[in-house]
Amino acid sequence: MWDDREALEPLALADHSRVLDVGCGTGELTRVLREESAGRVVGLDADRELLSHATDGEYVQGDATRLPFHEGSFDLVACQALLINLPDPSAAVGEFTRVSSDLVAAIEPDNADVTVASTVPAEERLEREAREAYVDGVGTDVALGDRVRDAFVEAGLRDVRTRRYVHEKRTAPPYADVALTSAARKASGAGLADHREELVAATSKRAYDDLRGRWREMGRAVVDAMRAGEYERVERVPFDVTVGRVD
């Protein structure tokens, strides 16, 4: 999603020389921050397995709510799609504020506002049905979006600003391998099964089984349309970039 880096402008990366990427996963954003900033960039994640796939840089295993760094160790602390996965986002923002001497930034999606347009009509309807159930059943605020600013203000950050962007993911012929794999997972129901627990929690086992049956049927229609070279899909994911300064 960082082919267009306009969304990173509020982070003023060229002005910061000590950057921490919290919840870095396999380091996709960390590498972008390293390319755009003027100095040291450290990636941190709690998952050792994810970090094993992160290369070309400095990475540390650690908890976002108990960062293993002294106060003011960095002049920019950032995260991407981390707060939506935490039971207490404010605890993490408080830690970001503690270890930053200047700027704190969060790039968080609003999963409740994702839209899908598809040449297979059932896909739009079923994606919306599944998304609404997932948001209700997941247990964390995956639609946090611009409400990150509330956590920033609560942490005592000043000059808090939020800007919304929309990331567009387009599928059209010729189909990339990732699109073919995604279609196959739809047809098998595997993609939906990844979130079975959340979907059952929001509905019921019977409702989930019914949804999965309809989902697999839709997936087979997607595969058929791809074989004919007639399938197109556009997914739009809104995300908000929130920045605040340490007082």
Side-chain angles (χ1 to χ4, degrees):
M1 67 182 283
W2 296 117
D3 289 342
D4 179 2
R5 299 184 179 180
E6 179 189 356
L8 295 176
E9 182 182 346
L11 278 62
L13 288 166
D15 298 331
H16 293 94
S17 59
R18 295 171 292 123
V19 181
L20 176 65
D21 177 15
V22 184
C24 66
T26 58
E28 283 85 355
L29 178 62
T30 317
R31 287 187 285 273
V32 173
L33 297 177
R34 191 172 295 117
E35 291 170 7
E36 300 292 330
S37 68
R40 178 191 183 203
V41 178
V42 178
L44 176 141
D45 201 278
D47 191 324
R48 187 182 298 276
E49 173 62 23
L50 290 177
L51 288 175
S52 69
H53 298 284
T55 58
D56 302 327
E58 183 179 354
Y59 295 93
V60 176
Q61 184 179 18
D63 186 338
T65 62
R66 294 190 298 273
L67 294 174
F69 303 107
H70 295 297
E71 294 181 8
S73 295
F74 301 90
D75 54 14
L76 168 61
V77 177
C79 70
Q80 173 182 283
L82 170 70
L83 302 181
I84 60 170
N85 293 306
L86 297 179
D88 185 6
S90 295
V93 174
E95 277 291 273
F96 298 176
T97 304
R98 180 182 67 80
V99 303
S100 176
S101 63
D102 184 30
L103 201 67
V104 172
I107 303 163
E108 298 291 330
D110 185 343
N111 288 298
D113 281 348
V114 175
T115 62
V116 172
S118 172
T119 52
V120 175
E123 185 172 19
E124 299 180 31
R125 182 176 66 255
L126 291 175
E127 288 260 8
R128 183 170 57 251
E129 181 179 343
R131 186 180 309 108
E132 289 174 354
Y134 175 77
V135 169
D136 288 342
V138 69
T140 61
D141 192 351
V142 295
L144 196 57
D146 61 358
R147 285 180 290 111
V148 169
R149 68 176 296 114
D150 296 337
F152 275 41
V153 171
E154 180 183 324
L157 294 167
R158 59 182 176 82
D159 300 332
V160 178
R161 294 169 287 125
T162 298
R163 187 184 299 177
R164 172 158 289 201
Y165 297 84
V166 177
H167 175 54
E168 185 176 285
K169 295 185 284 187
R170 184 176 295 272
T171 302
Y175 305 112
D177 288 344
V178 66
L180 297 172
T181 300
S182 177
R185 285 174 58 80
K186 281 187 173 74
S188 69
L192 200 70
D194 289 344
H195 305 293
R196 181 183 185 279
E197 181 179 347
E198 295 86 357
L199 296 173
V200 170
T203 56
S204 67
K205 185 179 183 301
R206 174 178 290 185
Y208 167 77
D209 289 340
D210 174 68
L211 174 61
R212 187 165 185 263
R214 290 181 286 127
W215 187 274
R216 294 179 66 186
E217 182 179 350
M218 174 269 291
R220 290 191 290 271
V222 168
V223 170
D224 289 343
M226 292 182 86
R227 286 172 177 162
E230 298 173 350
Y231 176 69
E232 294 189 20
R233 178 182 190 273
V234 179
E235 180 180 27
R236 295 180 175 88
V237 182
F239 65 97
D240 295 282
V241 178
T242 303
V243 297
R245 294 201 177 276
V246 176
D247 192 350

